Amino acid sequence: MVRSRPAAPAAGAGTAAELGLLASAIAGRPLEVAAAEPGQQPWTDGAVVFLDDQASRPDRIRTVAVQAALLGAGSLGPEILGALGRRRAVARRYLAVEGHRALAVHEAVLPPSVRTLADRMLAGRSTSPASSLAIATSGEVIADPPAVFGVIRPRDVRGHVVRAGVPGRDDPSPTHLPRREREQAVRELDDGEETGIDGAFDQFNPIGGGGAVGRLLQKLLGSSRSAGGGQPGADDATHRTRHGRRAAPGAAVSTAAAALPDEVDAIRRRGTTYPEWNVYQRRYRHGWCTVTEAEPEARNAELAVPGDVRALRQPLARLGTELERRHRQLQGDELDIDATVDARVQLAAGSAPDEAIFIDSVRRRRELSVLVLLDVSGSAGEPSPAGGCVHDHQRAAATALTLALHDLGDRVALYGFRSQGRSAVHVVPVKRFDDRADALMLRRLGSLTPGAYTRLGAAIRHGASVLEVEGGTARRLLVVLSDGFAYDHGYDGRYGEADARRALAEARRRGTACLCLSVAADADAEALRRVFGTAAHAVIPAVEQLRGTVGPLFRSALRLADVQRRVSQRKERTRERLQVERRRA
Amino acid sequence: MTDRVRPYYVPVGNEEQVFRAAFRQSLSVLLKGPTGCGKTRFVEAMAYDLGRPLVTVACHDDLTTADLVGRYLLQGGDTTWMDGPLTRAVREGAICYLDEIVEARQDTTVVLHPLSDHRRQLPIDRLGITLEAAPGFCLVVSYNPGYQSVLKDLKDSTRQRMVVIELDFPPSDVEEKVIAHEGGVDHEAAARLVRLGMAIRRLETAGLREVASTRVLIAAGRLVAEGLGMRDAARAAIAGPLTDDPVVTAGLFQMIDAYLADEES
């Protein structure tokens, strides 16, 4: 018996593949159609209908309809296939009866040319696959099925046919025919031994919908973020300002200094130095820490298992989409009465009135980039109160967050960090902003093993700078996933806390929101809270509870960052104005 | 408006009785059902039966409260208040039909709350007044649970103020009648279109974003009534709107050929 399956032709290339939709429609589930090997009669393996490419078009449609109807009517269930086993003659007789029954079941959705094929008399005699089988095993004379019916190859039908979801749990015990009936079966039909269902299951594959239809499904349902030009994440209208046209006419808008791409590459190669805050002397130690980006390993370790991504999507989707009422706009839903009065006054005074007299309420676009910093220091390897080690939980949380944000179309990156003294702070870019969220990322995550120490301040400074340079959006969020407080050579207690707090303050002043999550860890959360602030740190006992926490936590962090960014912009503007005035004076 | 003919609607279940009862009891109605299954037509028919004017608003995600309630406009040197469709319906006692309510912004749907429960009031803070709904006012919203994104679900506080009527594509005999009547084709052609439509609806899992609705089948029927061949009509009115993907289109064309081509082809 030939088991190999001819490769399905490329979708859309041959007419056989194009009949896939028709087959899927009749069967009521995804099916593919492909050409059978030359000389073979049409058949199906449960996922693909193989047909004779040389047959006429109406015949091909009939064949597809019959085979798909068989699958749709449950005619190829495991118990039937088990009973058919290797008995080809029975299989043929069964098809002659059951084929008509299956067609009759799907009558309402069959193409007109196929409806004439169904023999209602024959179909009326059977009410179920089992009764068709009983007729087939009886001694009665049954005409061979028409050639367009094809054949049933019981041993080649794969596990797809089984609808029960989980293999093993509700192990479909072969409900064979009652013994008495079987004994009545004509002996000479019995040309093979009862093989049971084992053969049908050796290729069990619980995930259906592969192949052309599956690919199609993926294509249609998949996220559409792969393509698309322009600056990612930044789809805010650029000509709109919060304060309308009157605000700061001619004010220079300065953005954070952006590093050149070359510069970024150099940093990646050589490592980059960051200052550290010495709380005892109340000054920075310049060039104190060296951060290097280690190439992430992607051993053939198991893929990291994300938490429930779907559950996270909803709270995260609401981020950054609040409504804003903007006054003095050129267009809008309502009249800004104050602006209107001003305009009338200007007109009455003989000057050209300002036309920006509307209030517009706009939903802010997301325009968000997020960098997740995952603590992979030795302490994460400790056992968690929730079972397993802390690292497993935090990794699951990081993965879920990354995937959820990625799904929502945000710019997101995921870095691991650990350190061994100030000259060896390592960060591992598991997913850079431009990397895809794919299996490679999951494998890299799976390869992360906890070890060494935590120099939190340097990691935050590096994360924030990567976020600013590569994030590409105005709103930025740094999420630190850590189990407890930092410890490294010469970096502990009050010194470490003060430095980390300083690093956060620097990032926040530049408008980057920062927060920290501790998942399934009972470590030193108190210190983290002191560093990040109570509003920007949360302890979550299990990954599943992430859902309730991330929404409010992220939102308040972003709001705080917005305020801080605005304050610093205002300071900037004031300083510029003062400079201008001083120069004039 | 009473001299017009009744919009063609064939009831499938008890939806007409439920609607009438809800209308008499001044309850708001939520219509659930897939795109193109006849929600709008149902409301039109009911408005005709009950003799109330119908105000329809197609909701979209930039629909603001001002779009519904009204706004000040500039006229010459003065501002004048202009009622929105909802306010007009409240004043006149019309049936106000908000199509695809989920598409509207969440802050917008909040104005419906005092209207849709026992208060039946519409506060207009710009004018500083609260309108009592005139007798005969009825709020009807529609909602398509399958097609709208997961993120946009109807808020519980909104749903619980409504009486729900679920509609679906009609059974094949009713749908045949509808297509024959609305499309202006004979019953044989209508039956073929319905068969094709039902086959495509079984494809829901194969990733078409929408299935062939009664609406697209009617459109195909109307093209046929204009003298177009069945296949050409179906390609233009059914396959085209459902997908842009070349592979799916090819598959749909095959299905159309299988269902609508003449027997001998």
Side-chain angles (χ1 to χ4, degrees), chain A residues 541-579:
Chain A
V543 183
E544 291 74 46
Q545 272 130 301
L546 209 52
R547 175 185 186 167
T549 319
V550 290
L553 194 65
F554 280 32
R555 195 168 310 129
S556 73
L558 284 171
R559 202 168 290 157
L560 187 67
D562 275 351
V563 171
Q564 274 165 336
R565 189 169 56 227
R566 229 170 286 153
V567 168
S568 59
Q569 275 172 0
R570 200 170 302 154
K571 276 183 189 161
E572 188 94 355
R573 268 205 297 271
T574 315
R575 201 181 314 132
E576 276 169 16
R577 205 171 47 228
L578 286 177
Q579 275 173 356

Side-chain angles (χ1 to χ4, degrees), chain B:
Chain B
M1 67 168 294
T2 41
D3 51 343
R4 257 187 358 174
V5 285
R6 179 181 197 261
Y8 187 77
Y9 183 80
V10 185
V12 175
N14 64 349
E15 68 265 29
E16 294 193 343
Q17 288 95 302
V18 174
F19 192 99
R20 283 201 192 93
F23 176 81
R24 272 185 232 111
Q25 286 297 318
S26 311
L27 293 169
S28 304
V29 177
L30 167 64
L31 295 178
K32 274 204 266 188
T35 314
C37 75
K39 298 189 291 285
T40 305
R41 181 54 65 88
F42 172 62
V43 177
E44 286 169 2
M46 295 320 293
Y48 175 87
D49 285 358
L50 296 164
R52 301 308 314 167
L54 178 64
V55 177
T56 303
V57 182
C59 299
H60 53 84
D61 58 359
D62 265 342
L63 189 83
T64 59
T65 313
D67 290 332
L68 282 180
V69 174
R71 53 165 59 93
Y72 279 109
L73 295 180
L74 265 187
Q75 249 168 19
D78 295 326
T79 56
T80 49
W81 174 259
M82 170 85 179
D83 275 350
L86 183 66
T87 311
R88 215 162 58 233
V90 167
R91 286 193 209 269
E92 292 171 10
I95 292 179
C96 183
Y97 175 48
L98 304 178
D99 200 3
E100 306 291 11
I101 182 79
V102 191
E103 291 297 324
R105 299 199 305 211
Q106 297 254 341
D107 63 318
T108 307
T109 48
V110 171
V111 298
L112 302 178
H113 285 185
L115 257 185
S116 49
D117 58 23
H118 63 96
R119 287 171 280 177
R120 286 170 64 79
Q121 291 173 337
L122 178 65
I124 307 178
D125 46 4
R126 305 277 179 329
L127 296 177
I129 58 169
T130 298
L131 281 181
E132 297 286 335
F137 171 79
C138 181
L139 184 69
V140 183
V141 303
S142 80
Y143 166 49
N144 181 346
Y147 132 84
Q148 257 98 12
S149 88
V150 261
L151 304 171
K152 283 182 166 182
D153 231 334
L154 209 53
K155 273 203 297 193
D156 285 330
S157 53
T158 309
R159 310 173 67 110
Q160 287 184 5
R161 291 176 154 84
M162 310 271 173
V163 174
V164 174
I165 298 177
E166 273 195 68
L167 297 177
D168 203 346
F169 297 120
S172 53
D173 50 332
V174 175
E175 194 165 28
E176 266 173 49
K177 259 206 289 192
V178 171
I179 289 166
H181 180 277
E182 292 286 294
V185 289
D186 59 43
H187 273 274
E188 210 267 315
R192 282 175 152 211
L193 286 171
V194 169
R195 190 173 289 270
L196 173 65
M198 287 175 64
I200 294 177
R201 277 169 214 165
R202 285 170 68 87
L203 274 178
E204 231 167 332
T205 50
L208 287 173
R209 218 176 314 163
E210 283 285 309
V211 293
S213 63
T214 309
R215 189 189 349 242
V216 301
L217 296 183
I218 290 173
R222 290 168 71 168
L223 292 182
V224 171
E226 275 300 314
L228 228 61
M230 289 277 266
R231 281 160 67 182
D232 294 336
R235 284 183 174 207
I238 301 175
L242 289 189
T243 183
D244 295 323
D245 186 286
V247 180
V248 187
T249 306
L252 280 177
F253 280 8
Q254 291 287 344
M255 286 186 70
I256 288 168
D257 289 355
Y259 283 89
L260 300 181
D262 297 324
E263 306 274 320
E264 61 275 10
S265 68

Side-chain angles (χ1 to χ4, degrees), chain A residues 138-495:
Chain A
S138 72
E140 204 179 315
V141 178
I142 302 171
D144 272 350
V148 291
F149 272 33
V151 291
I152 295 178
R153 289 163 53 168
R155 314 239 320 145
D156 292 333
V157 177
R158 304 194 302 171
H160 294 81
V161 187
V162 184
R163 284 172 197 215
V166 189
R169 195 182 54 191
D170 54 353
D171 211 1
S173 57
T175 47
H176 292 297
L177 290 170
R179 181 153 290 277
R180 213 176 302 129
E181 267 181 69
R182 218 189 311 154
E183 274 163 5
Q184 283 168 2
V186 182
R187 289 267 161 203
E188 64 260 29
L189 292 176
D190 222 336
D191 58 4
E193 90 254 49
E194 293 274 338
T195 52
I197 57 156
D198 315 55
F201 279 89
D202 53 3
Q203 297 178 57
F204 193 95
N205 175 11
I207 304 157
V213 177
R215 283 198 299 276
L216 196 136
L217 196 76
Q218 246 176 351
K219 200 192 238 173
L220 289 172
L221 300 180
S223 57
S224 55
R225 55 174 286 119
S226 52
Q231 196 181 21
D235 51 358
D236 208 359
T238 48
H239 59 278
R240 281 196 154 158
T241 58
R242 282 183 49 79
H243 307 288
R245 300 203 311 160
R246 215 163 57 158
V253 179
S254 67
T255 52
L260 297 166
D262 297 350
E263 220 172 300
V264 178
D265 280 347
I267 290 168
R268 278 183 188 155
R269 277 195 301 275
R270 282 187 274 107
T272 177
T273 55
Y274 290 97
E276 195 163 275
W277 178 251
N278 186 340
V279 66
Y280 304 117
Q281 300 177 1
R282 308 218 41 92
R283 61 187 175 89
Y284 279 108
R285 291 167 140 168
H286 289 285
W288 192 251
C289 297
T290 307
V291 177
T292 46
E293 288 194 4
E295 269 316 301
E297 280 183 81
R299 282 182 276 122
N300 282 332
E302 80 282 28
L303 303 182
V305 183
D308 191 351
V309 178
R310 206 172 253 281
L312 281 182
R313 231 183 276 166
Q314 190 156 5
L316 291 178
R318 302 243 169 90
L319 285 180
T321 56
E322 303 91 358
L323 286 167
E324 239 185 14
R325 290 174 72 78
R326 296 180 182 174
H327 289 263
R328 293 179 188 274
Q329 298 290 315
L330 279 170
Q331 56 188 33
D333 309 315
E334 291 163 60
L335 280 182
D336 185 340
I337 299 290
D338 292 342
T340 312
V341 171
D342 285 353
R344 298 299 302 170
V345 169
Q346 283 172 11
L347 193 64
S351 65
D354 192 350
E355 286 171 358
I357 52 165
F358 295 97
I359 299 177
D360 201 0
S361 60
V362 290
R363 199 203 320 262
R364 270 193 272 178
R365 301 297 171 194
R366 293 186 62 82
E367 215 208 342
L368 177 66
S369 50
V370 181
L371 188 135
V372 181
L373 269 180
L374 176 62
D375 181 355
V376 284
S377 64
S379 59
E382 279 166 20
S384 152
C389 68
V390 174
H391 177 63
D392 295 337
H393 294 281
Q394 301 218 330
R395 186 171 58 185
T399 319
L401 274 177
T402 308
L403 292 177
L405 289 164
H406 182 83
D407 285 352
L408 289 167
D410 292 322
R411 300 265 294 156
V412 56
L414 172 56
Y415 284 63
F417 70 95
R418 60 163 71 102
S419 65
Q420 231 151 7
R422 67 184 175 95
S423 55
V425 182
H426 296 293
V427 294
V428 187
V430 175
K431 177 192 179 300
R432 296 183 202 274
F433 278 109
D434 295 331
D435 288 351
R436 278 184 294 184
D438 52 9
L440 178 62
M441 173 195 121
L442 294 180
R443 201 170 309 128
R444 283 173 176 170
L445 264 170
S447 311
L448 285 180
T449 42
Y453 307 108
T454 326
R455 211 172 187 99
L456 194 56
I460 290 172
R461 286 192 183 94
H462 184 69
S465 100
V466 169
L467 192 54
E468 278 157 36
V469 174
E470 295 176 38
T473 60
R475 313 178 92 205
R476 300 178 298 267
L477 177 62
L478 181 75
V479 180
V480 181
L481 275 157
S482 179
D483 57 309
F485 187 58
Y487 177 81
D488 197 9
H489 305 295
Y491 193 82
D492 52 7
R494 195 176 148 218
Y495 179 89

Side-chain angles (χ1 to χ4, degrees), chain A residues 9-29:
Chain A
T15 48
E18 287 176 2
L19 289 172
L21 274 192
L22 176 66
S24 309
I26 292 171
R29 64 194 174 90

